Amino acid sequence: MADLPVYTDADPSMAELLATHPHLTTDPMCGLMFEGVPLNAIADAVGTPCWVLGAGTLRQRLKRMQTAMVDAGLDVSIHYAVKANDHLSVLSLIGQEGYGVDIVSGGELARTQKAGIAANRVVFSGVGKSDAELEYAIGLGIGQINVESAEELGIISAIATRLGKQATITLRINPDVDAKTHAKITTGLAANKFGIPFDNAAALYARAFTLPGLKPVGFATHIGSQIVSTAPYHAAYARVAELVRTVRASGLSVEVVDCGGGLGICYRNEVEGQPEALAGTIRAELGELGVRLSIEPGRWPVGPAGVLLSSVVLRKQEGLPAPFVVLDAAMNDMVRPSMYDAWHGILPLAPQAFNQPVTPTHVVGPVCESGDTFARDRLLPPLERASRIAILDTGAYGAVMSSTYNSRPLATQVLVENGQWTVIRHRQTLEELWQDETIPAHPTGKA
Ligand code: LLP
């Protein structure tokens, strides 16, 4: 296409996206395939928008993380961060494979119990756990609570004492380290709301041993999400190691360090975070401490394991240099582009589309906000009314962040496993949209 303008932007081509997403392939008859299943067949059967999640990809990626830790000679347990994708089928797979979970709410805890995950494999993080959530968690005897403030330490002690239980706790440390990621998903800077300031941690840890109902076992940290370099991890873990040595020197025991999540994936042109490099960092900074270690990955295992299928409602080009292709998916389904300016790969489903010339295209949703934009000036083959596309890397922070804004029902979800696919969430009906609403009897205004 020598006659097209040259775009210096570093967007990957469709071929490059396929190369970085091995679970996506193309078939000359069926078009885009996901773990061997034609995505068009799924869209034909259940319509769009539709989330598709691949159990095979998720299992493989979890396994790679585990192998990386074992190969580094580390005793690291994997606690999948439920917030990334809390579907019961994902949690059930996590449980079957023997992993633990990291949760941030009573709702997530309830889901893990529904999915059959043993309570002692659950770690509870979060800056504002309610009394009811703590009672539920402590009552169940969950594995560990990561405490985020001095006030919370006292609350947990009181609740555990009242319940006649002992709560196993770590202190989540804010190491004041810049994770060099998007400002909205950075958590380890002193200015962020998360964790206990590093300088207060040793004294608070000592205090924890004096309070009833608590079993302090160590420290946790989590510095942010979509981290693609090991440098911030080195810095954070070095500080945690320093703290472990300090409190041990004062005679206190430390058995556990929870290393948090945050490993980034390749959405556009990032070099994907490597579990092996993370394992090396953990070993270098924490390997000599003789503690039980854990990580809390969410995005890395499940992000690439999902796509969002959508159809073109119409195309709008009147007088514009690049067309607006309006999808049937919107920001209410997938908010990441609107919320974080996130870049997600887009591939067509039709077999012929992979051989067609590409031109700059704006891909938008139908919601009445300009922020409802999935991509601007994206080089794509011709997309006409009813053409279908897959938005890539939506397995994490995709369906979980959906809303029903504009009274748009939640989309269908499908799980692909061993070449078969199953609907794991039906498309929300209009009745379901308002079934929990009531209309009060209006005052008549008459005397
Ligand atoms: N542990 C804690 C305490 C966390 O707060 C998080 C994520 C994780 C683990 C998992 O982090 P991951 O491995 O997934 O990076 N909605 C945003 C991401 C928010 C992440 C919040 N915390 C997004 O779509 O980018």
Side-chain angles (χ1 to χ4, degrees), residues 199-275:
D199 292 341
N200 302 2
L204 196 64
Y205 193 61
R207 174 140 180 270
F209 283 89
T210 68
L211 294 175
L214 299 182
K215 181 174 182 235
V217 293
F219 298 101
T221 195
H222 170 79
I223 53 173
S225 197
Q226 185 54 14
I227 302 168
V228 289
S229 133
T230 51
Y233 284 117
H234 269 291
Y237 298 158
R239 297 215 87 186
V240 174
E242 181 191 333
L243 191 59
V244 171
R245 294 195 180 96
T246 306
V247 301
R248 277 184 173 165
S250 69
L252 301 173
S253 68
V254 179
E255 300 154 43
V256 165
V257 171
D258 175 342
C259 302
L263 199 61
I265 61 173
C266 170
Y267 285 104
R268 186 180 186 219
N269 48 19
E270 309 88 336
V271 177
E272 176 167 89
Q274 302 292 306

Side-chain angles (χ1 to χ4, degrees), residues 13-314:
S13 65
M14 294 197 292
E16 284 164 337
L17 281 175
L18 286 167
T20 49
H21 294 77
H23 50 294
L24 291 167
T25 51
T26 54
D27 177 276
M29 299 299 289
C30 304
L32 193 62
M33 315 272 287
F34 184 98
E35 292 190 7
V37 173
L39 287 170
N40 265 320
I42 297 176
D44 284 345
V46 303
T48 56
C50 170
W51 305 93
V52 180
L53 195 75
T57 308
L58 175 56
R59 275 185 221 276
Q60 264 172 27
R61 292 179 70 85
L62 286 162
K63 188 80 199 153
R64 179 161 157 212
M65 292 195 117
Q66 194 178 43
T67 305
M69 300 299 153
V70 172
D71 288 353
L74 295 170
D75 172 15
V76 177
S77 38
I78 295 180
H79 289 121
Y80 166 75
V82 172
K83 63 171 78 68
N85 189 323
D86 64 7
H87 195 286
L88 289 176
S89 1
V90 170
L91 300 182
S92 141
L93 183 154
I94 294 289
Q96 275 169 15
E97 299 282 330
Y99 301 108
V101 285
D102 169 71
I103 57 146
V104 289
S105 72
E108 287 189 353
L109 177 54
R111 278 181 177 273
T112 66
Q113 297 311 287
K114 180 96 182 153
I117 295 175
N120 63 6
R121 291 214 182 133
V122 181
V123 172
F124 196 172
S125 305
V127 74
K129 309 170 193 82
S130 72
D131 286 14
E133 288 173 325
L134 286 168
E135 275 165 27
Y136 177 28
I138 295 168
L140 272 180
I142 69 159
Q144 178 181 311
I145 303 176
N146 294 343
V147 179
E148 300 231 8
S149 63
E151 182 158 15
E152 185 178 47
L153 191 72
I155 295 170
I156 294 172
S157 165
I159 291 176
T161 307
R162 174 153 41 82
L163 297 178
K165 298 264 188 182
Q166 224 189 15
T168 302
I169 59 129
T170 72
L171 297 191
R172 173 169 172 183
I173 305 310
N174 183 322
D176 195 17
V177 163
D178 186 353
K180 301 264 188 287
T181 182
H182 192 283
K184 287 186 184 163
I185 52 175
T186 291
T187 54
L189 284 171
N192 301 136
K193 67 182 174 182
F194 299 97
I196 290 154
F198 183 81
D199 292 341
N200 302 2
L204 196 64
Y205 193 61
R207 174 140 180 270
F209 283 89
T210 68
L211 294 175
L214 299 182
K215 181 174 182 235
V217 293
F219 298 101
T221 195
H222 170 79
I223 53 173
S225 197
Q226 185 54 14
I227 302 168
V228 289
S229 133
T230 51
Y233 284 117
H234 269 291
Y237 298 158
R239 297 215 87 186
V240 174
E242 181 191 333
L243 191 59
V244 171
R245 294 195 180 96
T246 306
V247 301
R248 277 184 173 165
S250 69
L252 301 173
S253 68
V254 179
E255 300 154 43
V256 165
V257 171
D258 175 342
C259 302
L263 199 61
I265 61 173
C266 170
Y267 285 104
R268 186 180 186 219
N269 48 19
E270 309 88 336
V271 177
E272 176 167 89
Q274 302 292 306
E276 298 75 16
L278 179 63
T281 305
I282 294 174
R283 189 179 54 193
E285 301 295 347
L286 304 163
E288 300 298 303
L289 294 175
V291 287
R292 291 197 307 282
L293 295 158
S294 61
I295 54 171
E296 300 169 348
R299 186 192 314 267
W300 201 91
V302 79
V307 293
L308 172 60
L309 305 184
S310 183
S311 306
V312 175
V313 175
L314 55 81

Side-chain angles (χ1 to χ4, degrees), residues 421-441:
W421 62 271
T422 319
V423 173
I424 55 169
R425 189 196 201 292
H426 71 86
R427 190 175 306 287
Q428 195 175 33
T429 63
L430 293 179
E431 278 296 324
E432 285 166 345
L433 266 185
W434 54 72
Q435 70 186 1
D436 300 325
E437 298 177 18
T438 45
I439 304 174

